[in-house]
Amino acid sequence: MAQVGQWLGLGGSIVANLFNPRLIVIGGYFASVAEWLLPHAQDQLQRLVVAAPAAQYRFVAFTLGFGAASRGAASMVVNRIIDDPTTIMDSLPRPTAY
Protein backbone atom coordinates (compact mmCIF):
# COMPACT_ATOMS: atom_id res chain seq x y z
CA MET A 1 0.00 0.00 0.00
CA ALA A 2 2.87 2.35 0.74
CA GLN A 3 4.28 1.94 -2.76
CA VAL A 4 0.89 2.45 -4.41
CA GLY A 5 0.36 5.53 -2.25
CA GLN A 6 3.73 6.91 -3.32
CA TRP A 7 2.87 6.42 -7.00
CA LEU A 8 -0.49 8.06 -6.39
CA GLY A 9 1.31 10.98 -4.78
CA LEU A 10 3.65 11.24 -7.76
CA GLY A 11 0.68 11.38 -10.14
CA GLY A 12 -1.05 13.89 -7.90
CA SER A 13 2.05 16.09 -7.84
CA ILE A 14 2.11 16.15 -11.65
CA VAL A 15 -1.55 17.19 -11.70
CA ALA A 16 -0.89 19.81 -9.01
CA ASN A 17 2.10 21.26 -10.86
CA LEU A 18 0.19 21.45 -14.14
CA PHE A 19 -3.29 22.56 -13.09
CA ASN A 20 -2.90 23.98 -9.57
CA PRO A 21 -5.97 22.32 -7.98
CA ARG A 22 -6.65 22.69 -4.29
CA LEU A 23 -8.15 19.24 -3.93
CA ILE A 24 -7.46 15.90 -5.63
CA VAL A 25 -10.33 13.45 -5.27
CA ILE A 26 -9.63 9.75 -5.62
CA GLY A 27 -12.41 7.29 -6.24
CA GLY A 28 -13.17 3.74 -7.24
CA TYR A 29 -11.07 1.09 -5.57
CA PHE A 30 -8.62 3.72 -4.34
CA ALA A 31 -11.36 5.28 -2.22
CA SER A 32 -12.08 1.98 -0.49
CA VAL A 33 -8.45 1.71 0.73
CA ALA A 34 -7.92 5.44 1.21
CA GLU A 35 -7.01 5.21 4.89
CA TRP A 36 -3.87 3.24 3.95
CA LEU A 37 -3.04 5.05 0.71
CA LEU A 38 -3.61 8.71 1.45
CA PRO A 39 -0.93 9.25 4.13
CA HIS A 40 1.76 7.97 1.73
CA ALA A 41 0.27 9.85 -1.22
CA GLN A 42 0.08 13.08 0.79
CA ASP A 43 3.72 12.76 1.89
CA GLN A 44 4.83 12.29 -1.72
CA LEU A 45 2.66 15.19 -2.82
CA GLN A 46 4.26 17.47 -0.21
CA ARG A 47 7.74 16.51 -1.43
CA LEU A 48 7.16 16.90 -5.16
CA VAL A 49 4.87 19.90 -5.65
CA VAL A 50 6.77 22.94 -6.89
CA ALA A 51 3.90 25.04 -8.29
CA ALA A 52 2.97 26.58 -4.93
CA PRO A 53 3.30 25.71 -1.26
CA ALA A 54 2.30 22.06 -1.03
CA ALA A 55 0.25 22.71 2.09
CA GLN A 56 -2.47 24.01 -0.25
CA TYR A 57 -2.97 20.62 -1.89
CA ARG A 58 -4.58 17.55 -0.42
CA PHE A 59 -6.06 14.23 -1.36
CA VAL A 60 -9.58 13.23 -0.34
CA ALA A 61 -11.51 10.02 -0.93
CA PHE A 62 -14.72 10.05 -2.94
CA THR A 63 -17.50 8.82 -0.66
CA LEU A 64 -20.52 8.62 -2.97
CA GLY A 65 -19.81 5.13 -4.29
CA PHE A 66 -19.13 3.53 -7.65
CA GLY A 67 -22.44 4.42 -9.29
CA ALA A 68 -22.42 8.13 -8.53
CA ALA A 69 -21.06 9.23 -11.90
CA SER A 70 -23.60 7.25 -13.90
CA ARG A 71 -26.47 8.42 -11.67
CA GLY A 72 -25.32 12.00 -12.08
CA ALA A 73 -25.14 11.67 -15.86
CA ALA A 74 -28.59 10.09 -16.01
CA SER A 75 -30.06 12.84 -13.85
CA MET A 76 -28.66 15.48 -16.22
CA VAL A 77 -30.46 13.82 -19.14
CA VAL A 78 -33.71 13.49 -17.20
CA ASN A 79 -33.54 17.13 -16.08
CA ARG A 80 -32.96 18.29 -19.65
CA ILE A 81 -35.98 16.31 -20.88
CA ILE A 82 -38.14 17.65 -18.05
CA ASP A 83 -37.03 21.22 -18.81
CA ASP A 84 -37.80 20.87 -22.54
CA PRO A 85 -39.55 17.66 -23.66
CA THR A 86 -39.19 18.66 -27.32
CA THR A 87 -35.45 17.94 -27.17
CA ILE A 88 -36.29 14.26 -27.56
CA MET A 89 -37.78 14.99 -30.96
CA ASP A 90 -34.49 16.42 -32.26
CA SER A 91 -32.76 13.07 -31.98
CA LEU A 92 -35.52 10.91 -33.51
CA PRO A 93 -35.25 10.04 -37.21
CA ARG A 94 -37.72 11.92 -39.37
CA PRO A 95 -39.51 10.39 -42.31
CA THR A 96 -38.16 11.48 -45.67
CA ALA A 97 -40.39 12.87 -48.39
CA TYR A 98 -40.29 11.13 -51.77
Side-chain angles (χ1 to χ4, degrees), residues 80-98:
R80 182 171 178 204
I81 292 170
I82 289 172
D83 289 344
D84 184 9
T86 62
T87 58
I88 297 173
M89 299 306 291
D90 294 338
S91 62
L92 294 176
R94 301 198 183 267
T96 57
Y98 291 99

Side-chain angles (χ1 to χ4, degrees), residues 4-83:
V4 173
Q6 289 174 350
W7 283 108
L8 186 62
L10 172 65
S13 70
I14 293 169
V15 170
N17 287 325
L18 288 174
F19 299 110
N20 199 21
R22 298 286 179 245
L23 196 62
I24 299 172
V25 181
I26 62 166
Y29 293 106
F30 288 120
S32 60
V33 293
E35 65 184 286
W36 298 287
L37 287 179
L38 293 188
H40 302 288
Q42 192 66 41
D43 289 344
Q44 191 79 331
L45 185 70
Q46 300 284 11
R47 282 188 336 97
L48 298 174
V49 168
V50 295
Q56 296 179 5
Y57 305 103
R58 66 185 176 104
F59 282 100
V60 294
F62 187 69
T63 59
L64 297 178
F66 286 103
S70 58
R71 286 192 303 269
S75 72
M76 288 181 64
V77 172
V78 169
N79 287 339
R80 182 171 178 204
I81 292 170
I82 289 172
D83 289 344

